[in-house]
Amino acid sequence: MTRSESALRAAAATGADLPVRLFRAMLRIRMVEEEIAARYSQEKMRCPVHLSIGQEAVPVGLSALLGPADQAVSTHRCHAHYLAKGGDLKAMLCEIMGREPGCCGGRGGSMHLFDREVGMLLSLPIVAASIPVGVGAALAMKQRGQRSVAIIYLGDASVEEGAFHESANFASLHKLPAIFVCENNLYSVYTPLDERQPRRPISELARAHGMPATEVDGNDAIAVHNAARPLLERAREGEGPGFLLAETYRWREHCGPNYDNALGYRTEAEFESWKARDPVRLLGERLAKDGMLAASRRRAMEAEIAAEIADAFAFAEAAPFPRPDSIASQLYAD
Ligand SMILES: Cc1ncc(C[n+]2csc(CCOP(=O)(O)OP(=O)(O)O)c2C)c(N)n1
Ligand SMILES: [Mg+2]
């Protein structure tokens, strides 16, 4: 039995429905992203989209440990982070379609998702730019004596930026409640990790900055949940930051709704090996096998999510665009 299989059984034994909740949250993100991909050619979404398909397990496993007082910052690939943190789906789709009820008033697009009510502080497309902001949030939490944590999502390319190292150093020195969550999907656009970084675990960088680092299967939501828990507990106790390195894989092209393996920067065999590790399918199968999710319940779940998504798309498509005479607003602080 693997570590996460035993966790699944332990959760089932205590009557907890955590694995089912994690599955539903991943399935919902997958279905939202698939729907965005399916509708993208209609050209109602006129901004770039960096889809999270294949990478659902990390934010879902982690977010089940968070409350609204905990804050998260994210990157260009932020849809799953936003939805897992409880971000409003209608506000997200309106933002992607440039509509006024979008979370940035329809001016930011897919890479600027936030929902302050649920602690989704911001998302920024400049690689590593959100990291210092997340550390700032952690500093504020510490100064206010809160037990909250700041989750800082980053891609494998972020650790090549100075901002990561300055932020990690500062967070470690001041024992800030910051959790760095690195989704290593092996690529920065078309460039593989081993053409960009020396051969050593990325987690060594965090250890060199004096914080504990844990490596985890980023396609297993339960393993992520269990691996993140002790890092979060230490951070809440004032013992300082932590680093979670999650190995995962993006299925679609870096930016856009299509598959781009034909470009040749990665092999079909590699892609297939990761597809065989589909975080949503694997957990669904395990739940069915363990009798935790009957086929009828799963079908009802899928229908419920599909209805929610259809309703949110209809809402966004009917929503107004920002008024042209508001073009100069929100550019400067009042
Ligand atoms: C400072 C900066 N340099 C380059 C880019 C162009 N760019 C956008 S996403 C990206 C790849 C980032 O890779 P990674 O952090 O691993 O995230 P992933 O896309 O794999 O999720 C790059 C280079 C940028 N947005 N910002
Ligand atoms: Mg990457």
Side-chain angles (χ1 to χ4, degrees):
M1 206 189 304
T2 67
R3 199 156 50 97
S4 54
E5 267 166 351
S6 60
L8 189 67
R9 282 168 205 277
T14 59
D17 68 344
L18 176 76
V20 177
R21 282 194 291 123
L22 297 184
F23 174 73
R24 190 188 192 285
M26 287 200 292
L27 181 66
R28 179 170 175 262
I29 293 170
R30 172 70 58 88
M31 289 173 67
V32 169
E33 295 288 69
E34 299 276 14
E35 196 60 26
I36 290 173
R39 294 180 185 230
Y40 198 72
S41 63
Q42 296 173 355
E43 300 197 339
K44 289 179 185 160
M45 295 174 260
R46 300 304 296 262
C47 62
V49 287
H50 300 77
L51 299 178
S52 311
I53 298 172
Q55 302 190 196
E56 297 89 348
V58 176
V60 165
L62 185 68
S63 295
L65 296 161
L66 305 175
D70 299 313
Q71 300 199 323
V73 298
S74 177
T75 66
H76 54 288
R77 201 174 304 287
C78 56
H79 299 184
H81 302 156
Y82 171 94
L83 291 172
K85 190 72 177 69
D88 184 76
L89 178 60
K90 287 181 179 160
M92 169 175 149
L93 294 178
C94 284
E95 192 54 44
I96 296 177
M97 285 191 227
R99 309 296 169 124
E100 206 267 328
C103 56
C104 279
R107 293 147 192 271
S110 148
M111 298 183 278
H112 292 90
L113 298 184
F114 67 85
D115 187 336
R116 298 273 161 84
E117 269 182 39
V118 298
M120 185 70 204
L121 187 57
L122 54 75
S123 310
L124 294 174
I126 307 296
V127 171
S130 47
I131 301 175
V133 183
V135 169
L139 178 61
M141 288 164 181
K142 179 163 180 168
Q143 287 177 341
R144 292 180 189 137
Q146 296 167 338
R147 267 181 60 85
S148 322
V149 293
I151 302 297
I152 302 174
Y153 287 108
L154 49 135
D156 46 290
S158 286
V159 303
E160 294 152 29
E161 298 285 344
F164 165 73
H165 296 278
E166 296 164 39
S167 302
N169 176 67
F170 187 86
S172 188
L173 178 68
H174 294 285
K175 290 196 179 318
L176 303 184
I179 305 295
F180 298 82
V181 180
C182 181
E183 290 176 323
N184 177 15
N185 62 9
L186 309 175
Y187 292 89
S188 170
V189 192
Y190 305 130
T191 312
L193 190 62
D194 58 10
E195 287 178 26
R196 303 176 354 244
Q197 297 181 28
R199 246 169 218 259
R200 46 93 187 97
I202 290 175
S203 44
E204 289 302 325
L205 298 174
R207 293 191 188 105
H209 283 296
M211 68 179 87
T214 306
E215 290 158 23
V216 69
D217 176 356
N219 278 19
D220 182 337
I222 294 170
V224 169
H225 187 81
N226 292 336
R229 187 191 293 279
L231 293 175
L232 286 162
E233 279 169 5
R234 299 185 63 251
R236 291 191 199 283
E237 292 303 320
E239 289 170 39
F243 189 97
L244 188 67
L245 176 64
E247 308 280 341
T248 185
Y249 202 74
R250 109 177 112 71
W251 288 14
R252 306 263 175 152
E253 57 193 334
H254 165 70
C255 178
N258 301 311
Y259 292 94
D260 68 352
N261 299 339
L263 292 177
Y265 72 97
R266 60 188 196 182
T267 64
E268 199 64 31
E270 180 185 275
F271 171 73
E272 288 300 335
S273 75
W274 280 93
K275 250 193 123 175
R277 293 172 58 186
D278 179 348
V280 184
R281 184 177 57 76
L282 289 182
L283 184 54
E285 287 172 2
R286 280 161 51 191
L287 291 173
K289 193 162 143 256
D290 284 13
M292 292 178 73
L293 183 62
S296 58
R297 188 168 165 211
R298 178 171 172 161
R299 276 196 303 276
M301 194 184 266
E302 283 170 355
E304 212 176 83
I305 297 171
E308 184 205 359
I309 294 173
D311 181 51
F313 267 97
F315 176 85
E317 289 180 2
F321 288 104
R323 290 213 335 261
D325 64 4
S326 70
I327 195 161
S329 69
Q330 299 181 27
L331 293 180
Y332 300 100
D334 289 327

